[in-house]
Amino acid sequence: KVGMVAIRTKQILFKTLHFLFFYATMVISQNSIVEQPKANQSFFAKLESRILEIDSHLCVGLDPHIKELFPGASKDELDSKTEEERCDAAFTFCKTIIDATAPHAASYKPNAAFFEALGPNLGMTTLRRVINAIPSSIPTLLDVKRGDIGSTAQAYAEACYDQSNGLNADGVTLSPLMGWDSIEPFITGSYFDKGAFILCKTSNPGSNDLLALDIDQGTKLFEKIANLAQVWSDRAIQLSSESNNSGLSEPPRLGLVVGATDPEALSRARKAGGEDVWILAPGVGAQGGDLEQSCRAGMNSKG
C-alpha cells in the first residue's frame, strides 16, 4: 500500500508541475542573500522573495479533477458521491500536493472551477481550506480568469481577496479583453498590494483564433496585450501612490500568461512587455511545452 501511495503521488505531481514564472531582478545563485517575505509585501515582491529563497521558478497547479479524486471509479460511482465526500477528497488531494512540493514551489495556483464543480454548499469552502493550508510564505495565485467591469468586477475582487468573507488569495488571473476597467478593481484601492496575471497568449491551439491576429503592421494582438500590461501597471502604481501612505516598498504590477507551447510567442511577448514583466508559462509537460525552449524564450536578460 505504501508503494501505491508513492506511485499515485508521483502521478499527481507530474500532472501539476507544469507552470513556470519567468522574471528576475538579478541572477539567482545559491549564494544570493535572501530577504524573508514581509507581512506588507505586495504579491510580486512576495513572489520574488520566494523565488530567491528557494532558487525555483515553479508554480504548482491545484486542480482537483473529480476523476483523480476517486481513481478507478465508474461514472455511476462518481455520481453517487456526496458533496461532502467529494470535498473531503479534493482537500486531501490538494494537501498531499502541497506537502510534497512546498520546498520547491514559488507559488500555488488553485483553479476555482474545479472547486465550484464540487458542489454549491461546500465547494468554495473547500477552496478556502486549501488556500489556508498553503504556507504563508508562498504566494497564492487564484486561477479565476475574471473579465468584467464596474460593480461586478469589484464584487469578483472582493470574493477573491477578502480575508473574512472571501478566499484570501494574493493574486488572480484575469482576462484583459474588456480593457483597463476590468483590471483596475483587482490591483488598486484596497487591493493595491495584490497582483494579477492577464491572459496574453494562452497554451491552447484555439488561442490563435483571436490572440494571434495581426492588428497593426505585423503586430499581434497578444503583443498589444503584453505592452498594455506595463502601461496598466504604471497606471496602478500611480493611483496607489496617490491613495495610500502604507510605505509599501513594492507597488502592484501585472504579469502575463503566455503558453510554454509557443516559444516564439513567449519571446515576442517578452519583448513587447519589457524586461520587468512577469510571465506565467503553462503547458510544460502534458501539453507538449518544452522546458528548455520555454526558458530560453521567456527569461529576461538577467536570467
Side-chain angles (χ1 to χ4, degrees):
K1 291 183 178 179
V2 173
M4 291 177 64
V5 171
I7 292 171
R8 177 60 184 160
T9 301
K10 289 180 181 179
Q11 290 174 339
I12 292 172
L13 298 185
F14 178 78
K15 292 180 180 179
T16 57
L17 301 186
H18 54 219
F19 296 90
L20 295 170
F21 288 112
F22 295 139
Y23 172 85
T25 57
M26 64 187 75
V27 176
I28 297 173
S29 70
Q30 295 294 338
N31 297 321
S32 296
I33 297 175
V34 177
E35 182 179 353
Q36 294 300 317
K38 298 181 178 65
N40 66 340
Q41 276 186 317
S42 72
F43 171 77
F44 285 109
K46 185 177 180 181
L47 177 60
E48 184 172 358
S49 293
R50 177 64 182 173
I51 287 174
L52 292 173
E53 177 188 358
I54 64 173
D55 197 12
S56 170
H57 288 236
L58 184 66
C59 177
V60 179
L62 299 173
D63 306 337
H65 296 261
I66 187 65
K67 290 184 178 180
E68 294 182 356
L69 304 182
F70 304 98
S74 66
K75 185 180 184 305
D76 288 342
E77 290 172 329
L78 292 176
D79 291 342
S80 69
K81 298 294 183 183
T82 66
E83 183 176 351
E84 184 175 3
E85 289 174 325
R86 291 151 65 100
C87 288
D88 284 344
F91 178 79
T92 300
F93 176 92
C94 293
K95 186 65 165 59
T96 299
I97 294 173
I98 293 168
D99 291 343
T101 60
H104 313 289
S107 178
Y108 286 100
K109 190 184 72 63
N111 189 314
F114 294 105
F115 294 90
E116 292 170 1
L118 293 173
N121 300 310
L122 300 173
M124 300 311 288
T125 300
T126 303
L127 175 54
R128 178 63 190 259
R129 285 182 65 200
V130 168
I131 291 175
N132 289 346
I134 295 171
S136 60
S137 61
I138 306 177
T140 300
L141 177 65
L142 183 60
D143 193 358
V144 287
K145 301 181 179 68
R146 300 303 189 201
D148 216 314
I149 59 173
S151 59
T152 304
Q154 185 63 41
Y156 277 142
E158 292 171 3
C160 292
Y161 294 146
D162 192 84
Q163 293 184 13
S164 300
N165 300 311
L167 294 168
N168 197 29
D170 297 306
V172 294
T173 58
L174 300 174
S175 171
L177 294 183
M178 291 185 75
W180 165 247
D181 297 2
S182 65
I183 306 299
E184 181 180 8
F186 291 89
I187 56 172
T188 63
S190 300
Y191 305 126
F192 66 93
D193 59 341
K194 302 298 185 178
F197 282 87
I198 61 175
L199 303 181
C200 180
K201 178 63 170 68
T202 53
S203 58
N204 58 305
S207 68
N208 290 321
D209 294 346
L210 288 176
L211 298 175
L213 290 175
D214 289 320
I215 58 172
D216 182 26
Q217 298 181 347
T219 299
K220 303 290 187 181
L221 177 57
F222 74 81
E223 292 176 288
K224 177 64 174 179
I225 292 172
N227 178 260
L228 280 172
Q230 187 58 57
V231 173
W232 292 340
S233 286
D234 291 343
R235 189 178 301 173
I237 292 167
Q238 182 179 2
L239 289 172
S240 296
S241 65
E242 294 173 353
S243 62
N244 77 81
N245 297 303
S246 68
L248 194 70
S249 60
E250 178 70 16
R253 296 177 183 270
L254 292 172
L256 304 172
V257 179
V258 184
T261 51
D262 191 341
E264 180 184 355
L266 263 173
S267 180
R268 293 177 67 161
R270 164 61 68 199
K271 183 177 180 180
E275 284 283 287
D276 291 340
V277 72
W278 287 83
I279 296 177
L280 174 64
V284 174
Q287 292 186 51
D290 182 87
L291 179 60
E292 184 174 354
Q293 288 184 2
S294 299
C295 288
R296 287 178 177 175
M299 290 286 188
N300 65 9
S301 62
K302 300 175 184 177

